[in-house]
Amino acid sequence: MNTLVILAHPDMEHSRVNKRWRQELLQHPDRITVHELYKEYPGWKIDVTKEQKLLEAHDLIIFQFPLYWYSYPPLLKKWLDDVFTHGWAYGSNGTKLRGKKLGLAVSIGDKKENYRPAGSVSFTVDEVIAPFKASAIHVGATALPYFAVFGASFQATDEEIEQSAADYIEYIDRHRLPTPFPAQ
Ligand SMILES: Cc1cc2nc3c(=O)[nH]c(=O)nc-3n(C[C@H](O)[C@H](O)[C@H](O)COP(=O)(O)O)c2cc1C
């Protein structure tokens, strides 16, 4: 099962986490394809057929991005609006994403302890990413648990980011394997 990483970062030049993650992903071209939306589409005119073919060719699809205003960067939202079309992704004939696994690799600026009902954010990350999970359900795909690094703006040390890069590959490899049959 080959993996497609849809990477959406508007400012990779100044990135610490996503840049390091990209570097790690690129070490594994045999099993991971990295598709950088802001590099591919500087004019935001998305080639829908090309994107759909790319998705059809992969079973594990990871969306990688920095959390911006508790959401995706805007080109990823446009990409979803354009690419997940009726008759392809959903609707009675829209079955192309059915059975695929969709994951998230998110760099989160704030600290982990703030992503709780009693924390300064007031919501958990699982609550923040509810639109992603609902979208996966809508297209008949499986939403995987998210992978994240917290404190990505300031607190995360170089060592933690190094470790997260290794953990990210492990996350992908774990989900690349076929899901075992549930115990009876
Ligand atoms: C426009 C903007 C919005 C942001 N919104 C959030 C947010 O809602 N929650 C949060 O925890 N961090 C937020 N951040 C911090 C980013 O998540 C953080 O800078 C990023 O994950 C760091 O990853 P990078 O080193 O790859 O750029 C925001 C940053 C920017 C620039």
Side-chain angles (χ1 to χ4, degrees):
M1 188 195 281
N2 279 340
T3 304
L4 176 65
V5 174
I6 304 286
L7 168 51
H9 194 306
D11 188 15
M12 274 303 256
E13 207 188 317
H14 297 104
S15 156
R16 208 158 60 111
V17 175
N18 285 271
K19 195 195 262 183
R20 180 64 191 90
W21 286 358
R22 175 181 65 182
Q23 186 189 36
E24 196 67 25
L25 295 170
L26 293 175
Q27 305 299 313
H28 305 282
D30 54 315
R31 58 187 200 275
I32 302 173
T33 300
V34 181
H35 188 54
E36 286 188 62
L37 297 188
Y38 280 89
K39 194 166 153 190
E40 187 82 20
Y41 296 113
W44 289 44
K45 192 168 177 348
I46 289 162
D47 182 339
V48 173
T49 307
K50 180 177 152 184
E51 298 300 310
Q52 290 179 339
K53 292 229 168 331
L54 197 57
L55 291 167
E56 286 170 26
H58 294 85
D59 297 311
L60 172 58
I61 297 149
I62 310 290
F63 298 99
Q64 178 189 323
F65 56 90
L67 194 68
Y68 279 5
W69 289 109
Y70 308 101
S71 185
Y72 319 112
L75 183 56
L76 179 55
K77 177 61 167 62
K78 176 172 169 39
W79 181 94
L80 281 166
D81 292 352
D82 289 3
V83 176
F84 281 23
T85 51
H86 182 264
W88 183 84
Y90 68 98
S92 49
N93 297 319
T95 57
K96 299 291 190 196
L97 295 171
R98 212 172 270 179
K100 293 190 188 288
K101 293 182 186 176
L102 306 184
L104 290 186
V106 195
S107 64
I108 299 178
D110 211 342
K111 289 185 273 185
K112 188 172 190 173
E113 59 261 38
N114 293 335
Y115 281 86
R116 307 178 280 135
S120 59
V121 174
S122 306
F123 296 96
T124 65
V125 174
D126 269 310
E127 288 169 329
V128 169
I129 64 167
F132 160 74
K133 291 191 273 186
S135 301
I137 291 166
H138 197 71
V139 300
T142 302
L144 299 175
Y146 67 85
F147 173 81
V149 69
F150 292 87
S153 296
F154 306 111
Q155 294 91 0
T157 62
D158 289 347
E159 290 72 30
E160 283 165 346
I161 292 172
E162 276 306 302
Q163 184 60 48
S164 76
D167 293 346
Y168 184 17
I169 300 298
E170 200 268 327
Y171 167 83
I172 288 176
D173 283 342
R174 188 157 17 103
H175 292 295
R176 258 167 24 93
L177 302 171
T179 312
F181 289 112
Q184 293 299 311

